Amino acid sequence: MQHLRTAANTRMGSATQADTAEVSRVLRNTYLLLSMTLAFSAVTAGIAMAIGLSHGAGMIMSLAAMGLIWFVLPRTAESAAGIGVVFAFTGLIGAGLGPIINHYLATANGTSVVFQALGGTAFTFLGLSAYALISRKDFSFMRGFIAIGIMVMIGSMLLLLGASMFGYHMPILSLVFSAGIILLMSAIILFQTSAIIHGGERNYLMATTSLYLAIINIFTSLLHLLGAADD
């Protein structure tokens, strides 16, 4: 009986070590790929800015990127081809950001606004990630809040787009929308990081794209808020 208990404890210890090693692997690969894709996006954004890419072309690239993330990545996330899809997605998103950044740089204090948005995004992401990693708190309870937040976000976006098509502008709602996006993306960073730590996420490609989108949305929302405050 004692031998059976010893064998069972040994198996449990081995399983725990394997789980810890897997969590470390997913975290390491996620943050490595995230840093590489952010750098790649900065390069494609710089190219788009240098050639003066139009807002229309930037929108098309962003839509193409979302098509990749919705329809292609889920089928390739378990293979090496998925890495190429992630880089294609982030490269297109970066290029789509080029016209937006150029727009703000053309304003009176545009350079300051862009750098403040970059700094605020970095502070938010690093702070939230560090908190989730250090505290080891389980943020899975946020799943419902995030799901509802995404639906509200989509509904608000359609409302704003529809209003602008008919010549109506809602600056206050637009600012509230941007602030809500920052709150929602912050929740996603906590939720996604916690999912990796507690075993809910084992695919680093999917984790990377989730964190990447949260970072980009925080950045663009901060640009909008800071730009409006500067005006």
Side-chain angles (χ1 to χ4, degrees), residues 2-34:
Q2 182 64 34
H3 291 300
L4 290 175
R5 287 201 199 96
T6 302
N9 290 335
T10 301
R11 284 195 297 271
M12 289 177 63
S14 299
T16 301
Q17 291 176 0
D19 289 342
T20 302
E22 180 65 10
V23 168
S24 297
R25 183 191 69 82
V26 176
L27 278 172
R28 182 178 62 253
N29 290 342
T30 297
Y31 285 113
L32 176 60
L33 184 58
L34 182 62

Side-chain angles (χ1 to χ4, degrees), residues 92-178:
L92 287 169
I93 290 291
L97 282 175
I100 298 173
I101 297 174
N102 269 343
H103 167 75
Y104 284 98
L105 288 176
T107 61
N109 296 314
T111 301
S112 175
V113 167
V114 171
F115 277 103
Q116 286 178 41
L118 283 171
T121 302
F123 178 81
T124 302
F125 174 71
L126 294 175
L128 292 172
S129 297
Y131 177 71
L133 290 169
I134 294 171
S135 69
R136 297 280 165 170
K137 186 176 180 180
D138 187 356
F139 288 97
S140 60
F141 67 89
M142 285 186 166
R143 186 186 302 274
F145 166 77
I146 291 172
I148 294 172
I150 290 174
M151 288 189 290
V152 172
M153 179 188 73
I154 294 173
S156 300
M157 187 183 301
L158 292 175
L159 175 62
L160 288 170
L161 286 174
S164 65
M165 288 176 62
F166 289 99
Y168 294 100
H169 299 287
M170 303 178 180
I172 300 301
L173 179 59
S174 181
L175 293 175
V176 171
F177 174 74
S178 294

Side-chain angles (χ1 to χ4, degrees), residues 188-210:
I188 288 175
I189 291 172
L190 290 172
F191 175 83
Q192 185 63 71
T193 306
S194 172
I196 297 173
I197 295 171
H198 295 284
E201 180 63 81
R202 286 291 178 263
N203 189 299
Y204 72 94
L205 297 182
M206 301 302 291
T208 297
T209 53
S210 177

